[in-house]
Amino acid sequence: MSDRHLELGVFAPTIGCAPSFGKNAFALVSSAEQRTEPTYDYNLRIAQLLDQSGLEIFFMAQRGGAGFGPARFWSYSLDSFTTAAGLAMATRNLQLISTVHTAFYHPGMVARIGATLDQISRGRWALNLVSGWAEQDFRMLDIPLLEHDKRYAQSTEFVEVLKKFWTEDWFDYAGEFFSISQGTCYPKPARPPLLYNAGSSPVGRDFAAQYCDWYFAGAQAPELLAEEVADVRSRAAKQGREVKVIIYLFVLCRDTEEAAHAEIEEIFAHAEFDSAREWLETLTGQTVGTVASTLGQGVSVEDMLRSVILGVGSGKLIGTPEQVAHALAQFHAAGADAVGLTFRHVEEELQDFIATVVPLLEREGVRRPRTLEADSLRASG
Ligand SMILES: Cc1cc2nc3c(=O)[nH]c(=O)nc-3n(C[C@H](O)[C@H](O)[C@H](O)COP(=O)(O)O)c2cc1C
């Protein structure tokens, strides 16, 4: 039994498809029914459920714009700063993680937003820094999509300036992307908020190793995760730093394995292959055929698209509660410190997950047993 505690929560359903273009879809690129709504009220219920159940993570991506393919997949997105402010008022312990595109915001303004969220959340707010990849989003805003490594050079200046606003006064900064004269920001956060990075290219890993507290790993299987974690930890060690590792996983947990697999076939029967293809080609900047051949033997275009359709390219936990708990324990053993979960029908399946899988994880020592508000109230009579 390890004393490392696996933090759990959701990759929140704050994003989906623009409703006028068909059915909403969040974790499945499929028109199969998904009883999940990317609205504030729905996310409020999820956040409160997590908080009351003693789970830790509420991760919000930030998308929007045209989305991908005919279904306009992920074209709908709540704003992750204002959503964090609302949820901070309605929860007590949950970590709220917003996402910022470093090319779309000024770090001085984000420093002020973050310092305010630090007060509202009483230190529970964190920030995921993304450098951007969807060309159509940049085109819409008339902001140039720089070449890949140049985007990280811009993110580097962004994070340096952001940290200075949070910790220094009257600083000057002369960069290629940002110039600051006599920079100062009040309020300042009580402690600089934790920073995340979701980008797994070599330069993305170096960025996380040098500037962030958490690295969002993309590996889909425990053995690949172990390699990715070792690489990122060694990059961080060269900087004299440590980073923690978070992953996101799609869960399809049913009473029997047969029921889970039958449902997967139903999801594939309604798959939106064109939208999945566009999502993948935009993310990688290559055709799916090229990506498949780079990955080598045994990886077909069909397999890659199916992995996007079911869980949007994440790793997958499929089967009974025992099988799901066992697979999660393997990801934990491979180096994951936290997991953001996604589901087909988020609210109802998260309730089931908390009732059936979390106790197994506690029993196996993957998670510390929870001290729930309800339990302590009961104990105090
Ligand atoms: C868990 C996770 C969350 C992400 N969230 C966002 C997001 O909210 N918005 C966004 O534009 N990109 C998001 N990305 C994409 C990454 O930020 C990054 O641009 C992409 O992975 C390519 O980076 P790389 O070339 O360094 O791998 C996310 C990626 C992962 C793995």
Side-chain angles (χ1 to χ4, degrees):
M1 192 185 276
S2 136
D3 58 1
R4 274 175 66 233
H5 170 81
L6 178 66
E7 295 187 12
L8 287 176
V10 293
F11 184 135
T14 53
I15 50 181
C17 299
S20 42
F21 289 85
K23 288 192 187 167
N24 178 54
F26 157 63
L28 304 176
V29 194
S30 166
S31 61
E33 185 194 18
Q34 290 165 75
R35 293 188 292 279
T36 298
E37 295 163 26
T39 59
Y40 177 74
D41 283 344
Y42 187 89
N43 278 275
L44 173 62
R45 294 204 299 273
I46 302 292
Q48 290 182 320
L49 173 61
L50 291 169
D51 205 40
Q52 287 157 10
S53 308
L55 269 57
E56 294 89 357
I57 308 279
F58 192 90
F59 171 80
M60 286 168 281
Q62 178 107 350
R63 291 236 39 83
F68 305 99
R72 292 195 53 184
F73 184 70
W74 282 6
S75 50
Y76 180 108
S77 174
L78 293 178
D79 166 61
S80 68
F81 291 127
T82 44
T83 304
L87 298 183
M89 297 292 293
T91 54
R92 294 169 67 160
N93 297 307
L94 197 60
Q95 293 290 321
L96 301 161
I97 306 152
S98 302
T99 291
V100 67
H101 280 79
T102 56
F104 297 170
Y105 285 76
H106 193 287
M109 298 299 108
V110 174
R112 191 173 301 286
I113 294 170
T116 309
L117 281 165
D118 182 63
Q119 288 192 15
I120 300 173
S121 69
R122 301 183 201 283
R124 291 184 288 125
W125 178 79
L127 182 63
N128 175 39
L129 300 157
V130 296
S131 303
W133 49 280
E135 199 264 337
Q136 61 268 48
D137 296 356
F138 284 74
R139 203 179 333 118
M140 177 179 91
L141 299 175
D142 195 25
I143 293 173
L145 175 65
L146 304 173
E147 168 277 312
H148 182 273
D149 290 5
K150 199 87 173 164
R151 298 203 285 275
Y152 276 102
Q154 184 177 31
S155 292
T156 296
E157 289 192 13
F158 183 101
V159 72
E160 286 179 354
V161 169
L162 177 71
K163 287 186 177 193
K164 282 179 183 290
F165 272 117
W166 279 341
T167 56
E168 295 180 23
D169 278 322
W170 318 122
F171 70 90
D172 292 329
Y173 186 94
E176 186 183 346
F177 303 95
F178 299 105
S179 290
I180 308 295
S181 321
Q182 293 294 285
T184 186
C185 170
Y186 280 92
K188 291 196 188 306
R191 276 193 308 273
L194 296 176
L195 297 178
Y196 288 62
N197 173 49
S200 51
S201 58
V203 64
R205 293 179 188 196
D206 277 335
F207 178 79
Q210 193 169 356
Y211 294 104
C212 300
D213 305 285
W214 284 84
Y215 169 72
F216 227 126
Q220 296 186 13
E223 33 319 342
L224 297 174
L225 178 65
E227 285 171 25
E228 194 173 341
V229 170
D231 180 61
V232 170
R233 293 222 168 108
S234 98
R235 287 171 196 262
K238 286 191 192 124
Q239 308 283 339
R241 302 186 71 248
E242 287 182 6
V243 286
K244 291 184 132 187
V245 174
I246 180 168
I247 56 175
Y248 75 119
L249 296 173
F250 173 74
V251 182
L252 197 95
C253 185
R254 298 293 180 264
D255 291 342
T256 63
E257 230 180 308
E258 295 70 37
H261 286 286
E263 203 169 316
I264 290 173
E265 289 317 308
E266 179 220 334
I267 291 163
F268 285 138
H270 297 91
E272 301 265 3
F273 276 99
D274 288 345
S275 299
R277 181 183 296 272
E278 195 172 309
W279 183 90
L280 190 62
E281 293 187 341
T282 308
L283 181 66
T284 58
Q286 294 174 318
T287 65
V288 270
T290 310
V291 181
S293 59
T294 316
L295 291 174
Q297 275 187 339
V299 181
S300 71
V301 167
E302 174 96 6
D303 291 341
M304 292 189 47
L305 292 178
R306 281 178 165 244
S307 180
V308 175
I309 288 158
L310 194 68
V312 202
S314 64
K316 297 159 212 330
L317 304 171
I318 294 167
T320 62
E322 290 72 20
Q323 288 171 319
V324 166
H326 179 69
L328 255 177
Q330 287 183 318
F331 277 104
H332 182 51
D337 298 297
V339 181
L341 303 163
T342 62
F343 302 88
R344 178 180 186 182
H345 311 297
V346 178
E347 188 176 20
E348 55 207 78
E349 293 191 45
L350 178 61
Q351 283 168 350
D352 291 345
F353 180 91
I354 291 168
T356 60
V357 180
V358 172
L360 297 175
L361 295 172
E362 291 175 350
R363 202 177 69 198
E364 295 303 315
V366 177
R367 276 180 62 83
R368 278 193 295 276
R370 294 157 294 162
T371 45
L372 304 185
E373 272 177 52
D375 290 347
S376 47
L377 284 176
R378 220 175 292 132
S380 64

